[in-house]
Structure formats: structure tokens, C-alpha cells
Amino acid sequence: MVTVRAPATSANLGSGFDVFGVALDRPADVVRVEPAERTTIEVTGTGSEYIPTDPAGNTAGVVARELDAPARIRIDKGIRPASGLGSSAASAAAAALGLNRVYDLGYDRRSLVAVAAEGERAVSGHAHEDNVAPALLGGFTAATGDAVRHTPADVPLVVCLPDQAVSTRDAREVVPRSVDIDDYVETAGSAATLVLGMVRDDPELVGRGFRESAVTPARAALIDGYDRVREAALAAGATGVTVSGAGPGVLAACRDGNRRRVAAAMVEGFREAGVDARAYQTRTGNGAELFE
Ligand code: HSE
């Protein structure tokens, strides 16, 4: 049996819809994997009552099927489902890494990204890699379908999680099918700025690189209190704010030393909008860790 700790992740980062992702140092799922005659799934922890235990509908179960590696898979959720923090991706990444080890399948982490993305397809209808890539590789990743580019990164972040659920499937339905050329130009500039910020561990550039005006406003409209929370975070010194993944989590880039203030301001912003929320003071972190 092996145990895998797989981190929460934040996808999109504003300007990299379906491409950019970052691993967070907390929260995380802990998944235990042991070979078995057929795959079974057990789920405990935060939001476990909403997670299917039928292997065909569970991201980890789908990964076991993809790898032809049946197993008893026990998932202890630290990452709430439908949060925008890559909850389903963490379970898929953990299962892929664990099964690869217990069955000695010989994949490297990059090859496991595509396998874990099949788990994402099962829950959202789309095999996006922008959460599973950082969950497996850590740091900052750009997943373009044909390749995954990766750099370690060290940037302070806050993620604020309102007591509200937004399913990825629903959040994908509000994404516009075409973009204005001015928005396109802004997004290209922001994406370049963000990559530079990640490479340089520069929170100013990272926050500036979140700016995007096509997908983010459509997603933000699904989050009660988003505008208020964004303004509060910026007033508290955040260098940029955007929707985390498909939402409803809200991500803020911070300078070292002001995460506590930003976190408190975001929780208060949600409270003023009548929404309970909790904030994680976090930073870019490592990919999934395996324990024998
Ligand atoms: N890129 C995906 C989306 C991530 O925003 O729909 C979902 O977690």
C-alpha cells in the first residue's frame, strides 16, 4: 500500500484559461492505494458526502480504469469539492501516482498528467489538464494539450472559499464562445506578465498577470459577493485577484507579510455580502508526495 498527499491547485490564474495552473501548499487530499481484484472507492473528509463512490463516476476510479490497475482507493478529502481548488484533480493525481507505484507501471509524472485528466473528463465533461498538471508536478504549469511546461515558483497567495458550491460543469457553460480583440490583446499581455512573474517569484507581476476580461467576469457573476471581496483584497494590499479555477474560490496574490491582512479582508468582504467564508493563507507548493 502507498499513501499519496496531493495538493489543492488553482487553475486559470485569470489570463490562462484552461492552460495555467499552480500547486498550493495547502489544503490537500490524502489518498491510500492498494492493489485489489476490483476497484473500490471510499471517501471521508470535507464534502465527502457529495463525492461518488461508484468508480465509474469518481476521478480516482476512472484513473484506475484507464491504467487497468484495480485497487482499493481510500480518499480523505482535505479539499472541498466544487470549490475551485482542484478537488477532483487532487484525487485523480493521487490515484495516478499511487497506482503507478503499487503496480510498478513505469510512467513518469508528465505522462501521468494525461491519465489523470481522463478523471477530470468524467466529472466535468472536459479533460482539462490545468489542475492535474500542477497537482502532479508542483509549482506553476502551462498545459497546452500537446505539452506541459513547468517551473518551480515561490509566490505568497490567499485563497478564500465561500460557503457556496459552483460545479465546473455549470461554470463552463457561462464561458463566452468568442472574445473581443481588445480583450484578446489584454489577455496576451497579462499571460506574458504572469509567466515572467512566476519565473521571477515576483508577486507584483503575478497579480498584474491575473487581469482578464472575457472569462473571469462571466465566472465572477456566479459568486455572491465577488466584487466586494476583490475590492477588499486589493485595498488590503493584494497585488491581484481572480476567480480560482471555476470558482467559487477567490485567489489573491500577495507580497510576503500581508497574507494575513488580505485573508481577513476577503472573509470580511464575503461576510458583508451575507456569505460565510474561510481563507487559506498559502503559497505555491510542491506536487503530490508519495509515502510508502
Ligand atoms: N480550467 C477549468 C475551468 C478548471 O476553469 O473550467 C476547472 O477546475
Side-chain angles (χ1 to χ4, degrees):
M1 187 191 83
V2 296
T3 301
V4 183
R5 178 191 185 274
T9 50
S10 184
N12 303 332
L13 306 170
S15 57
F17 177 65
D18 274 357
V19 175
F20 292 163
V22 69
L24 305 176
D25 75 347
R26 59 189 284 258
D29 284 357
V30 176
V31 178
R32 285 177 289 167
V33 177
E34 57 189 311
E37 295 212 337
R38 63 182 183 88
T39 295
T40 56
I41 308 282
E42 297 153 59
V43 190
T44 54
T46 179
S48 54
E49 62 273 29
Y50 301 110
I51 297 174
T53 52
D54 173 4
N58 181 289
T59 55
V62 171
V63 168
R65 186 193 68 204
E66 288 293 309
L67 291 173
D68 195 17
R72 179 184 184 198
I73 300 175
R74 284 172 283 174
I75 304 169
D76 188 16
K77 298 297 299 177
I79 312 165
R80 200 193 79 189
S83 62
L85 297 181
S87 178
S88 58
S91 298
L97 199 63
L99 290 164
N100 185 52
R101 175 61 66 94
V102 295
Y103 278 103
D104 198 15
L105 299 175
Y107 289 96
D108 62 16
R109 286 185 183 235
R110 275 176 196 265
S111 315
L112 290 174
V113 169
V115 177
E118 287 305 316
E120 292 285 73
R121 189 196 302 280
V123 294
S124 76
H126 185 262
H128 50 270
E129 298 182 337
D130 50 351
N131 287 109
V132 289
L136 282 160
L137 301 172
F140 169 74
T141 55
T144 52
D146 60 335
V148 177
R149 274 107 191 163
H150 165 247
T151 182
D154 186 20
V155 177
L157 301 165
V158 169
V159 189
C160 192
L161 194 53
D163 194 3
Q164 182 194 350
V166 172
S167 85
T168 302
R169 213 178 269 271
D170 292 346
R172 293 190 78 81
E173 281 181 8
V174 302
V175 173
R177 304 316 303 167
S178 59
V179 295
D180 182 87
I181 188 67
D182 291 340
D183 291 342
Y184 171 84
V185 171
E186 179 194 50
T187 305
S190 292
T193 305
L194 188 131
V195 171
L196 202 56
M198 289 293 180
V199 169
R200 291 185 182 167
D201 295 333
D202 182 333
E204 307 289 339
L205 293 180
V206 169
R208 169 65 186 78
F210 285 171
R211 291 187 201 173
E212 190 275 341
S213 303
V215 179
T216 310
R219 291 295 189 58
L222 302 178
I223 304 170
D224 298 334
Y226 177 85
D227 289 338
R228 195 185 282 259
V229 170
R230 180 173 181 279
E231 291 307 318
L234 293 172
T239 60
V241 179
T242 191
V243 176
S244 180
V250 180
L251 176 72
C254 302
R255 298 178 194 91
D256 262 319
N258 80 337
R259 285 184 307 181
R260 184 185 298 270
R261 197 161 158 241
V262 169
M266 294 173 85
V267 170
E268 178 60 16
F270 272 122
R271 199 194 60 73
E272 286 171 4
V275 182
D276 286 336
R278 68 169 295 185
Y280 295 95
Q281 295 176 47
T282 183
R283 60 194 310 120
T284 45
N286 296 323
E289 290 172 89
L290 203 144
F291 305 93
E292 302 284 350

